[in-house]
């Protein structure tokens, strides 16, 4: 027991001795304390730092959420998780937030043509935010700022999915 304490003391002494070299370690010391502060700051603000939402969807072609509520202007983080096993070519899912006034039928008719871009029509103003298309076991996370107050539709734009995979995105 006594021997252990002595050994620890020796290690502590060596550590202190190393840090006492003034010319080479002062930069490293200030750099490491700056890093510590940065990570503490992040940890301290995470709790009130916007809305963090996870949506699951599996091989049964369903989202596990039919409604998402956020606050106007806040940072929204959405993670889409594909909990199934099927490949994205057969049972791909995405999350597409549509501008108000968008006809889901019209949009999906365009989206079905966009197989090379994850069924997201290029440059379409109707798309406010979207994840990539994911297959079984995959996930994707996106961040965006909540739009103006109101109710928006979100859908999966994979061909044939929007009829089952849709919900309301409500900004309060
Ligand atoms: Cu889908």
């Amino acid at each position: 027991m006594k021997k252990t304490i002595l050994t620890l003391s020796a290690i502590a002494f060596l550590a202190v001795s190393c840090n006492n070299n003034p010319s080479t370690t002062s930069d490293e010391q200030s750099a490491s304390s700056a890093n510590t502060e940065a990570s503490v700051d992040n940890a301290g603000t995470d709790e009130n730092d916007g809305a963090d939402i996870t949506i699951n969807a599996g091989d049964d072609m369903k989202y596990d959420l039919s409604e998402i509520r956020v606050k106007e202007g806040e940072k929204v983080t959405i993670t889409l998780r594909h909990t199934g096993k099927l490949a994205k070519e057969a049972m791909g899912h995405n999350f597409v937030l549509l501008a108000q006034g968008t006809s889901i039928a019209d949009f999906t008719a365009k989206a079905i043509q966009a197989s090379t871009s994850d069924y997201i029509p290029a440059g379409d103003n109707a798309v406010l935010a979207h994840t990539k298309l994911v297959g079984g076991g995959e996930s994707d996370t996106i961040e965006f700022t909540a739009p103006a107050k109101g109710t928006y539709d979100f859908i999966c734009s994979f061909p044939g999915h929007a009829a089952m995979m849709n919900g309301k995105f409500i900004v309060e």
Side-chain angles (χ1 to χ4, degrees):
M1 189 61 187
K2 197 170 185 183
K3 190 181 176 188
T4 309
I5 290 167
L6 282 174
T7 307
L8 287 174
S9 302
I11 290 168
F13 175 75
L14 283 171
V16 169
S17 303
C18 290
N19 280 342
N20 277 346
N21 186 335
S23 60
T24 55
T25 58
S26 59
D27 282 351
E28 287 172 29
Q29 279 179 309
S30 57
S32 68
S33 61
N35 286 342
T36 306
E37 280 169 33
S39 59
V40 168
D41 281 353
N42 286 341
T45 52
D46 269 353
E47 263 180 68
N48 293 318
D49 198 12
D52 202 342
I53 295 138
T54 298
I55 311 174
N56 298 295
D59 293 336
D60 57 354
M61 210 196 298
K62 284 180 188 163
Y63 290 129
D64 68 343
L65 290 180
S66 57
E67 189 181 293
I68 296 169
R69 284 179 185 270
V70 302
K71 297 202 163 43
E72 184 176 33
E74 78 175 335
K75 189 181 89 179
V76 179
T77 304
I78 293 198
T79 298
L80 173 66
R81 291 176 56 223
H82 194 314
T83 56
K85 289 192 163 62
L86 297 173
K88 70 175 180 181
E89 291 76 14
M91 183 55 72
H93 298 313
N94 60 14
F95 167 94
V96 184
L97 181 63
L98 296 174
Q100 285 178 310
T102 303
S103 155
I104 293 178
D106 290 351
F107 180 80
T108 53
K110 280 188 283 178
I112 201 169
Q113 309 292 331
S115 61
T116 56
S117 56
D118 283 2
Y119 301 104
I120 304 295
D124 196 312
N125 290 335
V127 178
L128 298 184
H130 71 89
T131 67
K132 66 182 184 184
L133 192 71
V134 295
E138 298 173 342
S139 68
D140 189 34
T141 300
I142 57 169
E143 276 184 16
F144 58 96
T145 302
K149 285 182 180 136
T151 300
Y152 301 74
D153 289 306
F154 67 87
I155 63 163
C156 172
S157 68
F158 189 91
H161 285 201
M164 291 273 290
M165 298 185 68
N166 63 79
K168 298 296 182 189
F169 185 90
I170 299 162
V171 184
E172 298 171 316

